[in-house]
Amino acid sequence: WHQASGPGSSSALPSYQHPSIFLQATLHLIPGRIMYSSAQCLTSLALILLLEQYTTARYFAQAFIFSRQVTFSHHRNAHEWENEYHPPFRAVRVGPEEQECGQVNLSSIRRVFAISDLHTDNVANLDWITQKCIAGKTDLSPGPSDALIVAGDISHELSTLEKTLSILLSELNCTIFFVSGNHEAWIGGKEMDDIGLNSSLQKLEAVKELCMNIGVHTSNRLIGMDHKSPVWIAPIDSWYDGTLTLQGCEDLTSNFLRWPWVDFIRCDWEPFHPDPSGENGKIPVGLTEHILTQNLDTITEIKTGYSSWKGGGGEAPPGLITFSHFLPNERSLPDWKDPQSDDFLRHEWLDHPVPEVSAKFSKVAGSKLIDEQIRSIVPSSMHASMNRPSAVRHLHVFGHSHRPKDFSFRGIRYIHNPLGKPIEREMNMVSNDVNFQLIWDTTTEAGEVPGEQIIRYWEEKGGGLDLLEENMRKNRRNRSKQSRMK
Protein backbone atom coordinates (compact mmCIF):
# COMPACT_ATOMS: atom_id res chain seq x y z
CA TRP A 1 0.00 0.00 0.00
CA HIS A 2 2.75 2.43 0.92
CA GLN A 3 4.55 1.83 -2.37
CA ALA A 4 1.31 2.16 -4.35
CA SER A 5 0.05 5.40 -2.85
CA GLY A 6 3.16 6.96 -1.35
CA PRO A 7 3.34 9.16 1.74
CA GLY A 8 0.86 12.01 1.59
CA SER A 9 -0.98 10.59 -1.42
CA SER A 10 -4.67 11.47 -1.88
CA SER A 11 -5.37 7.76 -2.26
CA ALA A 12 -4.08 7.03 1.23
CA LEU A 13 -6.30 4.66 3.20
CA PRO A 14 -8.00 5.85 6.40
CA SER A 15 -6.20 4.70 9.51
CA TYR A 16 -8.69 1.94 10.33
CA GLN A 17 -8.03 0.28 6.96
CA HIS A 18 -4.23 0.37 7.25
CA PRO A 19 -2.65 -3.10 6.80
CA SER A 20 -0.81 -2.66 10.11
CA ILE A 21 -4.05 -3.60 11.89
CA PHE A 22 -3.39 -7.20 10.92
CA LEU A 23 0.23 -7.01 12.06
CA GLN A 24 -0.86 -5.45 15.35
CA ALA A 25 -3.41 -8.21 15.76
CA THR A 26 -0.66 -10.80 15.86
CA LEU A 27 1.94 -8.91 17.89
CA HIS A 28 0.85 -10.66 21.08
CA LEU A 29 2.13 -13.96 19.66
CA ILE A 30 5.72 -12.80 19.45
CA PRO A 31 8.19 -13.81 22.17
CA GLY A 32 9.78 -10.72 23.66
CA ARG A 33 7.13 -8.34 22.28
CA ILE A 34 4.22 -6.60 24.04
CA MET A 35 1.72 -9.18 25.30
CA TYR A 36 -1.86 -8.08 24.50
CA SER A 37 -4.43 -8.94 27.18
CA SER A 38 -7.65 -10.82 26.36
CA ALA A 39 -9.64 -7.64 26.91
CA GLN A 40 -7.45 -5.68 24.48
CA CYS A 41 -7.73 -8.38 21.83
CA LEU A 42 -11.54 -8.60 22.13
CA THR A 43 -11.93 -4.81 22.12
CA SER A 44 -9.83 -4.56 18.95
CA LEU A 45 -11.86 -7.37 17.37
CA ALA A 46 -15.13 -5.53 18.14
CA LEU A 47 -13.79 -2.30 16.61
CA ILE A 48 -12.67 -4.08 13.46
CA LEU A 49 -16.10 -5.72 13.08
CA LEU A 50 -17.77 -2.36 13.61
CA LEU A 51 -15.72 -0.99 10.73
CA GLU A 52 -16.75 -3.98 8.58
CA GLN A 53 -13.22 -5.28 8.21
CA TYR A 54 -14.47 -8.87 8.20
CA THR A 55 -11.38 -10.56 6.72
CA THR A 56 -9.05 -8.85 9.18
CA ALA A 57 -11.47 -9.69 12.01
CA ARG A 58 -11.44 -13.38 11.07
CA TYR A 59 -7.63 -13.45 11.13
CA PHE A 60 -7.61 -11.59 14.41
CA ALA A 61 -10.07 -14.03 15.97
CA GLN A 62 -8.01 -17.03 14.86
CA ALA A 63 -4.86 -15.43 16.22
CA PHE A 64 -6.64 -14.72 19.51
CA ILE A 65 -7.84 -18.33 19.88
CA PHE A 66 -4.37 -19.64 19.06
CA SER A 67 -2.79 -17.31 21.61
CA ARG A 68 -4.95 -18.77 24.38
CA GLN A 69 -3.72 -22.29 23.56
CA VAL A 70 0.03 -21.66 23.64
CA THR A 71 2.14 -20.15 26.42
CA PHE A 72 5.19 -18.13 25.49
CA SER A 73 8.30 -17.11 27.38
CA HIS A 74 10.47 -14.08 26.57
CA HIS A 75 13.60 -16.25 26.54
CA ARG A 76 12.12 -19.12 24.57
CA ASN A 77 13.56 -20.10 21.20
CA ALA A 78 11.63 -18.23 18.51
CA HIS A 79 11.22 -21.39 16.40
CA GLU A 80 10.27 -23.76 19.22
CA TRP A 81 6.60 -22.83 19.40
CA GLU A 82 6.14 -23.32 15.64
CA ASN A 83 7.30 -26.91 15.93
CA GLU A 84 4.98 -27.65 18.86
CA TYR A 85 1.68 -26.38 17.49
CA HIS A 86 0.44 -25.84 13.95
CA PRO A 87 -2.93 -24.04 13.90
CA PRO A 88 -5.03 -23.41 10.76
CA PHE A 89 -3.85 -19.79 10.92
CA ARG A 90 -0.13 -19.14 10.77
CA ALA A 91 0.71 -16.02 12.78
CA VAL A 92 2.93 -13.39 11.20
CA ARG A 93 6.17 -12.85 13.11
CA VAL A 94 6.82 -9.13 13.35
CA GLY A 95 10.42 -8.03 13.73
CA PRO A 96 11.98 -4.58 13.61
CA GLU A 97 11.84 -4.62 9.81
CA GLU A 98 8.02 -4.42 9.92
CA GLN A 99 7.73 -1.89 12.71
CA GLU A 100 8.79 1.63 13.44
CA CYS A 101 12.27 1.47 14.89
CA GLY A 102 12.92 3.21 18.19
CA GLN A 103 11.29 6.63 18.40
CA VAL A 104 11.20 7.37 14.67
CA ASN A 105 9.70 5.84 11.57
CA LEU A 106 12.24 4.72 8.97
CA SER A 107 10.76 7.25 6.55
CA SER A 108 11.72 10.08 8.88
CA ILE A 109 15.38 9.19 9.44
CA ARG A 110 17.63 12.17 8.72
CA ARG A 111 21.29 11.17 9.11
CA VAL A 112 23.32 7.97 8.75
CA PHE A 113 26.51 7.30 10.75
CA ALA A 114 28.99 4.42 10.50
CA ILE A 115 31.51 2.65 12.70
CA SER A 116 32.98 -0.85 13.01
CA ASP A 117 35.13 -3.12 15.16
CA LEU A 118 33.92 -1.95 18.56
CA HIS A 119 35.44 -5.00 20.33
CA THR A 120 33.74 -4.28 23.63
CA ASP A 121 35.20 -7.40 25.23
CA ASN A 122 37.91 -4.88 25.94
CA VAL A 123 36.97 -2.75 28.97
CA ALA A 124 38.51 0.39 27.48
CA ASN A 125 36.35 0.03 24.38
CA LEU A 126 33.19 -0.52 26.41
CA ASP A 127 34.11 2.61 28.37
CA TRP A 128 34.51 4.46 25.04
CA ILE A 129 30.99 3.40 24.01
CA THR A 130 29.54 4.48 27.35
CA GLN A 131 31.31 7.83 27.23
CA LYS A 132 30.31 8.58 23.63
CA CYS A 133 26.70 7.57 24.24
CA ILE A 134 26.17 9.38 27.55
CA ALA A 135 28.60 12.08 28.68
CA GLY A 136 30.13 12.73 25.27
CA LYS A 137 26.97 13.14 23.21
CA THR A 138 26.93 16.18 20.91
CA ASP A 139 24.95 17.42 17.91
CA LEU A 140 27.32 15.31 15.83
CA SER A 141 26.30 12.10 17.64
CA PRO A 142 23.57 9.82 16.30
CA GLY A 143 20.20 10.69 17.82
CA PRO A 144 16.51 9.70 17.74
CA SER A 145 16.03 10.70 14.09
CA ASP A 146 19.27 9.06 12.88
CA ALA A 147 20.61 5.64 11.88
CA LEU A 148 23.88 4.00 12.88
CA ILE A 149 25.63 1.30 10.85
CA VAL A 150 27.84 -1.05 12.89
CA ALA A 151 29.92 -3.14 10.46
CA GLY A 152 30.70 -6.14 12.66
CA ASP A 153 33.06 -7.32 15.38
CA ILE A 154 31.41 -6.20 18.59
CA SER A 155 32.02 -9.40 20.56
CA HIS A 156 32.16 -13.17 20.37
CA GLU A 157 30.00 -13.35 23.52
CA LEU A 158 26.27 -12.98 22.90
CA SER A 159 25.82 -11.33 26.29
CA THR A 160 28.42 -8.64 25.51
CA LEU A 161 26.98 -8.16 22.03
CA GLU A 162 23.52 -7.62 23.49
CA LYS A 163 24.83 -5.31 26.21
CA THR A 164 26.69 -3.14 23.69
CA LEU A 165 23.81 -2.89 21.23
CA SER A 166 21.43 -2.16 24.11
CA ILE A 167 23.63 0.74 25.27
CA LEU A 168 23.65 2.16 21.74
CA LEU A 169 19.89 1.74 21.44
CA SER A 170 18.93 3.13 24.82
CA GLU A 171 21.42 5.98 25.11
CA LEU A 172 21.57 7.18 21.50
CA ASN A 173 17.96 6.19 20.84
CA CYS A 174 18.77 5.77 17.16
CA THR A 175 18.00 3.12 14.54
CA ILE A 176 20.79 0.54 14.32
CA PHE A 177 21.88 -1.69 11.43
CA PHE A 178 24.32 -4.51 12.13
CA VAL A 179 26.17 -7.23 10.23
CA SER A 180 28.25 -9.95 11.87
CA GLY A 181 32.05 -10.04 11.76
CA ASN A 182 34.43 -12.93 12.28
CA HIS A 183 34.35 -12.52 16.08
CA GLU A 184 30.59 -13.04 16.10
CA ALA A 185 31.19 -16.43 14.43
CA TRP A 186 33.41 -17.73 17.24
CA ILE A 187 32.16 -20.63 19.34
CA GLY A 188 33.55 -22.30 22.42
CA GLY A 189 33.77 -21.06 25.99
CA LYS A 190 31.31 -21.40 28.87
CA GLU A 191 28.61 -19.14 27.48
CA MET A 192 28.48 -20.88 24.10
CA ASP A 193 28.68 -24.32 25.70
CA ASP A 194 25.85 -23.50 28.13
CA ILE A 195 23.64 -22.34 25.26
CA GLY A 196 24.57 -25.38 23.20
CA LEU A 197 26.02 -23.52 20.21
CA ASN A 198 28.64 -25.69 18.53
CA SER A 199 28.48 -24.47 14.93
CA SER A 200 29.52 -21.10 13.55
CA LEU A 201 26.62 -21.08 11.08
CA GLN A 202 24.29 -21.70 14.01
CA LYS A 203 26.01 -18.95 15.98
CA LEU A 204 25.47 -16.39 13.21
CA GLU A 205 21.78 -17.26 13.15
CA ALA A 206 21.68 -16.76 16.93
CA VAL A 207 23.21 -13.31 16.46
CA LYS A 208 20.49 -12.36 13.97
CA GLU A 209 17.80 -13.62 16.32
CA LEU A 210 19.29 -11.60 19.18
CA CYS A 211 19.26 -8.49 16.99
CA MET A 212 15.66 -9.06 15.98
CA ASN A 213 14.59 -9.46 19.60
CA ILE A 214 16.09 -6.13 20.70
CA GLY A 215 15.16 -4.12 17.60
CA VAL A 216 18.39 -4.03 15.59
CA HIS A 217 18.13 -4.34 11.80
CA THR A 218 20.05 -7.08 9.99
CA SER A 219 18.27 -6.77 6.64
CA ASN A 220 17.85 -4.05 4.05
CA ARG A 221 15.54 -1.06 4.51
CA LEU A 222 14.79 2.11 2.57
CA ILE A 223 15.05 5.10 4.90
CA GLY A 224 14.48 8.85 4.76
CA MET A 225 11.59 8.77 2.26
CA ASP A 226 10.12 11.89 3.87
CA HIS A 227 13.21 13.89 2.92
CA LYS A 228 15.13 14.97 -0.20
CA SER A 229 17.64 12.11 -0.43
CA PRO A 230 16.31 8.75 0.76
CA VAL A 231 18.78 5.88 0.81
CA TRP A 232 18.77 2.11 0.89
CA ILE A 233 20.79 0.53 3.70
CA ALA A 234 21.78 -3.03 2.87
CA PRO A 235 23.77 -5.33 5.20
CA ILE A 236 25.91 -7.80 3.23
CA ASP A 237 26.71 -11.09 4.98
CA SER A 238 30.16 -12.31 3.95
CA TRP A 239 33.38 -14.14 4.80
CA TYR A 240 36.89 -14.42 3.31
CA ASP A 241 38.23 -16.83 0.72
CA GLY A 242 41.82 -15.88 -0.13
CA THR A 243 40.90 -14.01 -3.33
CA LEU A 244 42.44 -10.77 -1.98
CA THR A 245 45.85 -12.39 -1.48
CA LEU A 246 48.64 -9.94 -2.34
CA GLN A 247 50.31 -11.14 -5.51
CA GLY A 248 54.10 -11.39 -5.56
CA CYS A 249 54.27 -11.98 -1.80
CA GLU A 250 54.25 -15.77 -1.78
CA ASP A 251 57.51 -15.90 0.19
CA LEU A 252 55.85 -13.90 2.99
CA THR A 253 52.99 -16.40 3.31
CA SER A 254 54.95 -19.65 3.05
CA ASN A 255 54.13 -20.53 6.67
CA PHE A 256 50.47 -19.50 6.43
CA LEU A 257 49.30 -22.92 7.59
CA ARG A 258 51.08 -22.35 10.91
CA TRP A 259 49.80 -18.79 11.37
CA PRO A 260 47.85 -18.59 14.67
CA TRP A 261 44.76 -16.85 13.23
CA VAL A 262 42.09 -17.30 15.92
CA ASP A 263 39.25 -17.97 13.46
CA PHE A 264 40.96 -21.23 12.53
CA ILE A 265 40.64 -22.32 16.16
CA ARG A 266 37.34 -20.76 17.29
CA CYS A 267 35.16 -21.41 14.21
CA ASP A 268 33.52 -24.64 13.08
CA TRP A 269 32.01 -24.40 9.59
CA GLU A 270 30.52 -27.86 9.17
CA PRO A 271 29.74 -28.97 6.45
CA PHE A 272 32.39 -26.72 4.82
CA HIS A 273 36.01 -27.84 5.08
CA PRO A 274 39.39 -26.48 3.96
CA ASP A 275 41.50 -27.98 1.23
CA PRO A 276 44.75 -28.69 3.10
CA SER A 277 46.59 -29.15 -0.18
CA GLY A 278 45.68 -25.66 -1.38
CA GLU A 279 47.49 -22.38 -0.78
CA ASN A 280 44.63 -21.19 1.45
CA GLY A 281 44.75 -24.40 3.45
CA LYS A 282 42.75 -23.42 6.55
CA ILE A 283 39.99 -21.45 4.79
CA PRO A 284 36.84 -23.56 4.19
CA VAL A 285 36.13 -24.07 0.50
CA GLY A 286 32.73 -22.78 -0.66
CA LEU A 287 31.88 -21.03 2.62
CA THR A 288 32.01 -17.49 1.24
CA GLU A 289 29.78 -18.40 -1.69
CA HIS A 290 27.29 -20.03 0.70
CA ILE A 291 27.13 -16.99 3.00
CA LEU A 292 26.80 -14.57 0.08
CA THR A 293 23.67 -16.40 -1.12
CA GLN A 294 21.93 -15.01 1.97
CA ASN A 295 22.09 -11.58 0.32
CA LEU A 296 20.23 -12.53 -2.85
CA ASP A 297 16.79 -11.41 -1.63
CA THR A 298 18.26 -8.04 -0.64
CA ILE A 299 19.91 -7.61 -4.04
CA THR A 300 16.77 -8.62 -5.93
CA GLU A 301 14.54 -6.26 -3.95
CA ILE A 302 16.76 -3.20 -4.36
CA LYS A 303 17.63 -3.97 -7.98
CA THR A 304 13.93 -4.29 -8.81
CA GLY A 305 13.26 -0.95 -7.16
CA TYR A 306 15.95 0.76 -9.23
CA SER A 307 14.87 -0.95 -12.46
CA SER A 308 11.32 0.34 -12.03
CA TRP A 309 12.43 3.85 -11.01
CA LYS A 310 10.56 6.53 -12.98
CA GLY A 311 12.19 9.67 -11.56
CA GLY A 312 9.89 12.27 -13.02
CA GLY A 313 11.12 15.85 -13.15
CA GLY A 314 14.77 14.87 -13.02
CA GLU A 315 14.41 13.52 -9.48
CA ALA A 316 17.38 11.38 -8.43
CA PRO A 317 16.76 7.79 -7.30
CA PRO A 318 17.43 6.77 -3.68
CA GLY A 319 21.06 6.36 -2.75
CA LEU A 320 22.61 3.05 -1.69
CA ILE A 321 24.72 2.22 1.35
CA THR A 322 25.86 -1.39 1.40
CA PHE A 323 27.99 -2.62 4.28
CA SER A 324 29.94 -5.75 5.09
CA HIS A 325 32.41 -6.63 7.79
CA PHE A 326 34.95 -8.07 5.37
CA LEU A 327 36.95 -6.19 2.75
CA PRO A 328 35.35 -6.14 -0.73
CA ASN A 329 38.41 -5.74 -2.93
CA GLU A 330 42.21 -5.49 -2.99
CA ARG A 331 42.13 -1.69 -2.91
CA SER A 332 40.56 -1.77 0.53
CA LEU A 333 43.58 -3.64 1.93
CA PRO A 334 45.60 -1.58 4.45
CA ASP A 335 48.71 -1.28 2.27
CA TRP A 336 47.16 -0.73 -1.17
CA LYS A 337 48.31 2.85 -1.59
CA ASP A 338 46.88 3.74 -4.99
CA PRO A 339 43.19 2.81 -5.41
CA GLN A 340 43.38 3.47 -9.14
CA SER A 341 46.27 1.05 -9.68
CA ASP A 342 45.64 -2.56 -10.72
CA ASP A 343 49.08 -3.63 -9.52
CA PHE A 344 50.43 -4.01 -6.00
CA LEU A 345 53.87 -2.40 -5.75
CA ARG A 346 55.34 -4.60 -3.05
CA HIS A 347 58.72 -2.96 -2.60
CA GLU A 348 57.23 0.54 -2.44
CA TRP A 349 54.09 -0.17 -0.42
CA LEU A 350 55.19 -2.86 2.05
CA ASP A 351 57.63 -0.37 3.56
CA HIS A 352 56.91 -1.04 7.23
CA PRO A 353 58.46 -3.45 9.79
CA VAL A 354 55.86 -6.27 9.45
CA PRO A 355 55.27 -6.98 5.73
CA GLU A 356 54.61 -10.66 6.43
CA VAL A 357 51.61 -9.78 8.63
CA SER A 358 50.12 -7.68 5.83
CA ALA A 359 50.63 -10.49 3.33
CA LYS A 360 49.03 -13.13 5.56
CA PHE A 361 46.15 -10.86 6.52
CA SER A 362 45.31 -10.35 2.84
CA LYS A 363 44.31 -14.04 2.68
CA VAL A 364 41.75 -13.63 5.45
CA ALA A 365 40.75 -10.05 4.68
CA GLY A 366 37.68 -10.58 2.52
CA SER A 367 36.64 -11.57 -0.97
CA LYS A 368 36.38 -10.18 -4.50
CA LEU A 369 32.93 -11.78 -4.58
CA ILE A 370 31.68 -9.11 -2.16
CA ASP A 371 32.53 -6.36 -4.63
CA GLU A 372 30.99 -8.30 -7.49
CA GLN A 373 27.81 -8.73 -5.50
CA ILE A 374 27.39 -5.12 -4.40
CA ARG A 375 28.17 -3.86 -7.91
CA SER A 376 25.42 -6.08 -9.31
CA ILE A 377 22.72 -4.15 -7.42
CA VAL A 378 22.61 -0.92 -9.41
CA PRO A 379 21.67 -1.24 -13.12
CA SER A 380 24.52 -0.20 -15.41
CA SER A 381 22.46 2.69 -16.81
CA MET A 382 22.17 4.15 -13.27
CA HIS A 383 25.76 3.66 -12.19
CA ALA A 384 27.41 6.75 -10.68
CA SER A 385 30.10 6.72 -13.36
CA MET A 386 27.41 7.53 -15.96
CA ASN A 387 27.11 11.06 -14.53
CA ARG A 388 23.37 11.29 -15.20
CA PRO A 389 20.48 12.67 -13.08
CA SER A 390 19.33 9.05 -12.68
CA ALA A 391 22.73 7.94 -11.29
CA VAL A 392 22.75 6.19 -7.92
CA ARG A 393 25.25 7.38 -5.33
CA HIS A 394 26.71 4.21 -3.82
CA LEU A 395 28.72 3.99 -0.58
CA HIS A 396 30.14 0.80 0.89
CA VAL A 397 31.10 0.60 4.56
CA PHE A 398 33.37 -2.22 5.73
CA GLY A 399 35.36 -3.27 8.80
CA HIS A 400 37.85 -5.96 9.86
CA SER A 401 41.28 -4.49 9.06
CA HIS A 402 41.34 -1.83 11.85
CA ARG A 403 43.07 0.50 9.37
CA PRO A 404 40.88 3.51 8.45
CA LYS A 405 40.09 4.02 4.78
CA ASP A 406 38.00 6.46 2.77
CA PHE A 407 38.41 6.44 -1.01
CA SER A 408 36.46 6.11 -4.24
CA PHE A 409 36.92 3.57 -6.99
CA ARG A 410 34.84 3.11 -10.14
CA GLY A 411 31.73 4.83 -8.87
CA ILE A 412 31.67 3.52 -5.28
CA ARG A 413 33.01 5.23 -2.18
CA TYR A 414 34.56 2.80 0.32
CA ILE A 415 34.63 3.72 4.03
CA HIS A 416 36.28 1.98 6.98
CA ASN A 417 35.88 3.78 10.34
CA PRO A 418 37.05 1.36 13.05
CA LEU A 419 37.25 1.90 16.79
CA GLY A 420 39.87 -0.87 16.82
CA LYS A 421 41.79 -1.84 19.93
CA PRO A 422 43.35 0.48 22.53
CA ILE A 423 46.90 -0.46 21.53
CA GLU A 424 46.14 0.50 17.92
CA ARG A 425 44.92 3.91 19.02
CA GLU A 426 47.99 4.34 21.22
CA MET A 427 50.23 3.53 18.24
CA ASN A 428 48.37 5.99 15.96
CA MET A 429 47.19 3.24 13.63
CA VAL A 430 43.66 4.41 14.44
CA SER A 431 42.76 7.93 15.49
CA ASN A 432 42.54 8.65 19.21
CA ASP A 433 39.65 10.92 18.28
CA VAL A 434 37.68 8.24 16.44
CA ASN A 435 33.95 8.90 16.46
CA PHE A 436 30.76 7.82 14.72
CA GLN A 437 31.29 9.00 11.13
CA LEU A 438 28.47 10.91 9.43
CA ILE A 439 28.19 9.59 5.87
CA TRP A 440 24.66 10.49 4.66
CA ASP A 441 22.10 13.23 5.30
CA THR A 442 18.67 12.59 3.79
CA THR A 443 17.62 16.22 4.31
CA THR A 444 20.14 17.56 1.77
CA GLU A 445 20.02 17.47 -2.02
CA ALA A 446 23.36 15.66 -2.23
CA GLY A 447 22.62 13.05 0.42
CA GLU A 448 26.20 11.87 0.73
CA VAL A 449 28.34 13.66 3.32
CA PRO A 450 31.85 14.03 1.86
CA GLY A 451 34.85 12.84 3.83
CA GLU A 452 38.57 13.39 3.61
CA GLN A 453 40.38 10.73 1.60
CA ILE A 454 42.26 8.26 3.81
CA ILE A 455 44.56 5.63 2.31
CA ARG A 456 47.01 4.75 5.10
CA TYR A 457 46.10 6.61 8.29
CA TRP A 458 49.29 5.91 10.23
CA GLU A 459 51.37 7.33 7.39
CA GLU A 460 49.18 10.34 6.59
CA LYS A 461 48.03 11.42 10.05
CA GLY A 462 49.66 9.10 12.56
CA GLY A 463 53.21 10.40 12.45
CA GLY A 464 54.57 8.34 9.57
CA LEU A 465 57.01 5.44 9.41
CA ASP A 466 59.51 6.70 12.00
CA LEU A 467 56.85 7.06 14.71
CA LEU A 468 55.31 3.71 13.75
CA GLU A 469 58.66 1.95 14.17
CA GLU A 470 59.25 3.70 17.49
CA ASN A 471 55.79 2.72 18.75
CA MET A 472 56.29 -0.88 17.66
CA ARG A 473 59.64 -1.07 19.52
CA LYS A 474 57.98 0.40 22.61
CA ASN A 475 55.15 -2.13 22.34
CA ARG A 476 57.63 -5.03 22.07
CA ARG A 477 59.49 -3.80 25.15
CA ASN A 478 56.25 -3.55 27.12
CA ARG A 479 55.20 -7.06 26.14
CA SER A 480 58.63 -8.40 27.06
CA LYS A 481 58.45 -6.68 30.42
CA GLN A 482 54.97 -8.07 31.11
CA SER A 483 56.13 -11.54 30.13
CA ARG A 484 59.04 -11.41 32.60
CA MET A 485 56.70 -10.20 35.37
CA LYS A 486 54.51 -13.27 34.82
Side-chain angles (χ1 to χ4, degrees), residues 182-193:
N182 53 313
H183 283 241
E184 277 77 37
W186 291 1
I187 57 175
K190 187 177 187 304
E191 182 177 283
M192 296 301 100
D193 292 343

Side-chain angles (χ1 to χ4, degrees), residues 213-228:
N213 288 339
I214 64 175
V216 170
H217 292 277
T218 58
S219 61
N220 61 291
R221 308 311 297 167
L222 178 60
I223 68 166
M225 291 86 77
D226 294 346
H227 304 300
K228 297 176 182 178

Side-chain angles (χ1 to χ4, degrees), residues 230-236 299 302 306 317-324 328-329 370-379 382-385 390-397 406-415 439-440 446-449:
V231 62
W232 281 102
I233 299 184
I236 300 294
I299 291 169
I302 302 176
Y306 282 135
L320 174 61
I321 303 175
T322 51
F323 71 102
S324 61
N329 54 38
I370 301 171
D371 214 43
E372 291 177 12
Q373 192 170 73
I374 65 173
R375 287 181 177 275
S376 73
I377 299 175
V378 179
M382 302 176 76
H383 196 268
S385 61
S390 61
V392 174
R393 194 72 192 100
H394 185 176
L395 281 60
H396 184 76
V397 176
D406 197 330
F407 68 94
S408 295
F409 174 66
R410 293 181 184 170
I412 298 180
R413 178 182 168 195
Y414 297 90
I415 302 168
I439 62 174
W440 195 273
E448 178 187 0
V449 177

Side-chain angles (χ1 to χ4, degrees), residues 11 52 98 101 138 149 182 194 230 247 267 271 276 282 305 355 388:
S11 63
E52 299 185 345
E98 287 76 33
C101 200
T138 69
I149 290 170
N182 53 313
D194 289 347
Q247 300 304 309
C267 294
K282 293 187 178 181
R388 297 174 178 173

Side-chain angles (χ1 to χ4, degrees), residues 462-480:
L465 182 59
D466 290 342
L467 184 57
L468 175 66
E469 291 178 336
E470 179 184 335
N471 286 334
M472 294 183 78
R473 286 193 297 269
K474 185 186 301 181
N475 185 45
R476 283 194 294 268
R477 287 196 299 269
N478 289 340
R479 284 186 300 178
S480 177

Side-chain angles (χ1 to χ4, degrees), residues 55-111:
T55 301
T56 300
R58 176 169 60 84
Y59 289 152
F60 201 123
Q62 289 177 315
F64 170 68
I65 293 167
F66 175 43
S67 72
R68 301 304 97 195
Q69 295 175 322
V70 184
T71 302
F72 298 99
S73 164
H74 175 76
H75 296 290
R76 203 168 181 195
N77 185 293
H79 304 290
E80 198 173 319
W81 58 273
E82 289 184 324
N83 297 328
E84 290 183 1
Y85 189 81
H86 301 274
F89 166 72
R90 183 176 177 83
V92 179
R93 187 177 304 147
V94 184
E97 291 77 11
E98 287 76 33
Q99 302 180 65
E100 291 186 357
C101 200
Q103 301 298 315
V104 65
N105 187 289
L106 294 177
S107 299
S108 303
I109 288 177
R110 301 169 66 88
R111 301 180 299 176

Side-chain angles (χ1 to χ4, degrees), residues 202-385:
Q202 182 186 24
K203 172 77 179 298
L204 294 179
E205 286 302 312
V207 169
K208 287 191 175 183
E209 186 172 329
L210 182 157
C211 289
M212 183 190 76
N213 288 339
I214 64 175
V216 170
H217 292 277
T218 58
S219 61
N220 61 291
R221 308 311 297 167
L222 178 60
I223 68 166
M225 291 86 77
D226 294 346
H227 304 300
K228 297 176 182 178
S229 298
V231 62
W232 281 102
I233 299 184
I236 300 294
D237 292 317
S238 58
W239 198 254
Y240 49 79
D241 57 8
T243 55
L244 302 188
T245 299
L246 290 175
Q247 300 304 309
C249 299
E250 291 77 11
D251 58 310
L252 299 177
T253 60
S254 59
N255 62 344
F256 179 69
L257 289 175
R258 297 191 298 276
W259 193 39
W261 185 245
V262 180
D263 292 357
F264 298 151
I265 302 169
R266 295 291 301 269
C267 294
D268 185 331
W269 293 111
E270 189 68 34
F272 298 94
H273 303 282
D275 176 6
S277 64
E279 59 183 11
N280 299 320
K282 293 187 178 181
I283 301 175
V285 177
L287 175 63
T288 300
E289 290 87 343
H290 170 77
I291 293 179
L292 287 173
T293 61
Q294 299 175 23
N295 307 318
L296 295 180
D297 287 346
T298 288
I299 291 169
T300 300
E301 180 181 352
I302 302 176
K303 183 184 291 187
T304 300
Y306 282 135
S307 297
S308 59
W309 175 255
K310 301 291 189 249
E315 183 182 1
L320 174 61
I321 303 175
T322 51
F323 71 102
S324 61
H325 178 67
F326 298 98
L327 282 61
N329 54 38
E330 295 161 321
R331 289 155 180 83
S332 53
L333 289 165
D335 292 308
W336 199 284
K337 294 180 65 172
D338 182 1
Q340 309 313 317
S341 173
D342 292 329
D343 300 315
F344 183 75
L345 306 181
R346 169 180 171 171
H347 297 294
E348 296 179 31
W349 296 352
L350 285 185
D351 54 353
H352 53 74
V354 285
E356 69 283 354
V357 174
S358 293
K360 289 170 187 169
F361 175 76
S362 69
K363 287 184 172 292
V364 296
S367 172
K368 292 181 179 179
L369 297 177
I370 301 171
D371 214 43
E372 291 177 12
Q373 192 170 73
I374 65 173
R375 287 181 177 275
S376 73
I377 299 175
V378 179
S380 57
S381 61
M382 302 176 76
H383 196 268
S385 61

